[in-house]
Amino acid sequence: MHPTLAMPGHVAIVMDGNGRWATRRLMPRIAGHRQGVETLRKAVRWSLDRGIGVLTVFAFSSENWNRPAEEVKGLMALLMHAIPRELPGFIEQGVALRFVGDRAGLAPEIQSLFSSAEAQTAAGRRITLNVCFNYGGRWDIVQAARTLAERGETITEAALAASLSLAHVPDPDLVIRTGGEQRVSNFLLWQAAYAEWFFSDKAWPSFTADDFDLAISAFQGRERRFGLTSQQVREQAHAAGPVLEGLDDRCQA
Ligand code: FPP
């Protein structure tokens, strides 16, 4: 990580590899998820320390209901236990928690937990932590389109984006996926259109601050063109003045 180069403002993470981490240690899969929560707590700290304003994590996908009942039950129980436990620390650190996903499909006690945790952390100003739970990128696009249709609104990119479940934050700059798999898995299908992806072979429970910095370094070493040519990007950087000109050297490297 280069401290003087631009940090990603929004980092999103697919926290994969928990099950394999546990199985390799002859432990039940839920032990991997439990350890995953420990890494998540650290990731909030790493993000705060680096001035990252938004962290979004994929905790439970629309498809995860198809896992063995015992694992699904364990994940729900872990959530019910971990959120109240983490709240005081989050409040102290200025974390605003947001739960993103289809709440109607969740048990009433989980829905109450989400509302209560969001209300208790609403004053957090240092970082927004979006926990995607019962979330899928396709679900999000469909619910946004349905909202517009119900209101009789014209469907435009801006109107759809404003109805998506992450409309309260800018799009992610960097998406990290741990666990060695290199696929999108229905995560942030709309929002990650121009994100840089970083894939790590480390299982999420083993992911460290150094691994996080490696992902940020990779991000900082890439030229984001947003559909433009390299030359246009350089011209824009020059026009923006000396602060961005430093980035230009990196772009040519
Ligand atoms: C993917 O690993 C991970 C998940 C499906 C769950 C991630 C959840 C957490 C880290 C806990 C979040 C909890 C709270 C309280 C926010 P995997 O099980 O697919 O791993 P595998 O690919 O090795 O089987």
Side-chain angles (χ1 to χ4, degrees):
M1 181 189 72
H2 198 301
T4 62
L5 288 179
M7 278 284 160
H10 180 176
V11 175
I13 308 180
V14 181
M15 307 180 289
D16 200 11
N18 295 345
R20 281 166 287 162
W21 180 91
T23 306
R24 276 197 295 270
R25 288 163 179 76
L26 307 178
M27 290 154 86
R29 290 175 57 84
I30 194 66
H33 297 312
R34 211 173 291 128
Q35 199 56 40
V37 174
E38 299 301 310
T39 309
L40 176 53
R41 187 190 312 117
K42 290 184 216 160
V44 171
R45 190 69 255 165
W46 305 333
S47 302
L48 279 165
D49 290 348
R50 288 155 184 76
I52 292 163
V54 185
L55 180 66
T56 298
V57 295
F58 206 1
F60 192 86
S61 78
S62 314
E63 292 73 33
N64 284 155
W65 292 107
N66 299 322
R67 292 197 170 196
E70 191 191 346
E71 184 171 345
V72 172
K73 213 170 129 201
L75 275 165
M76 298 298 158
L78 181 60
L79 185 77
M80 290 297 291
H81 178 74
I83 298 297
R85 188 190 62 201
E86 301 300 329
L87 269 187
F90 284 162
I91 293 167
E92 198 184 309
Q93 295 175 97
V95 178
L97 250 184
R98 297 288 291 259
F99 293 92
V100 175
D102 184 7
R103 294 193 192 194
L106 296 171
E109 62 270 24
I110 294 185
Q111 294 187 31
S112 309
L113 174 76
F114 284 2
S115 307
S116 159
E118 285 179 342
Q120 289 182 66
T121 60
R125 289 289 172 271
R126 293 187 62 211
I127 191 169
T128 299
L129 172 60
N130 298 304
V131 176
C132 295
F133 204 91
N134 200 18
Y135 169 90
R138 290 179 175 178
W139 161 82
D140 198 11
I141 293 168
V142 168
Q143 70 77 26
R146 193 176 287 147
T147 303
L148 295 186
E150 281 166 5
R151 291 193 203 134
E153 271 188 52
T154 308
I155 296 185
T156 62
E157 273 199 26
L160 197 94
S163 293
L164 290 168
S165 60
L166 280 165
H168 58 285
V169 292
D171 284 346
D173 301 295
L174 169 65
V175 185
I176 299 171
R177 180 171 185 146
T178 62
E181 309 288 354
Q182 303 196 356
R183 55 178 165 261
V184 177
S185 297
N186 203 11
F187 189 45
L188 306 180
L189 292 184
W190 177 283
Q191 295 88 347
Y194 283 101
E196 298 295 329
W197 280 79
F198 180 86
F199 298 99
S200 168
D201 285 336
K202 288 274 192 82
W204 177 244
S206 311
F207 199 71
T208 64
D210 284 346
D211 297 320
F212 192 64
D213 285 341
L214 208 60
I216 293 174
S217 294
F219 168 83
Q220 291 177 326
R222 294 187 196 167
E223 181 191 50
R224 300 183 81 192
R225 290 199 290 270
F226 298 96
L228 302 179
T229 64
S230 202
Q231 187 179 343
Q232 285 175 306
V233 172
R234 280 199 299 275
E235 283 163 5
Q236 281 190 353
H238 284 301
V243 176
L244 288 178
E245 273 183 35
L247 294 177
D248 185 38
D249 299 338
R250 181 210 64 203
C251 294
Q252 293 175 4

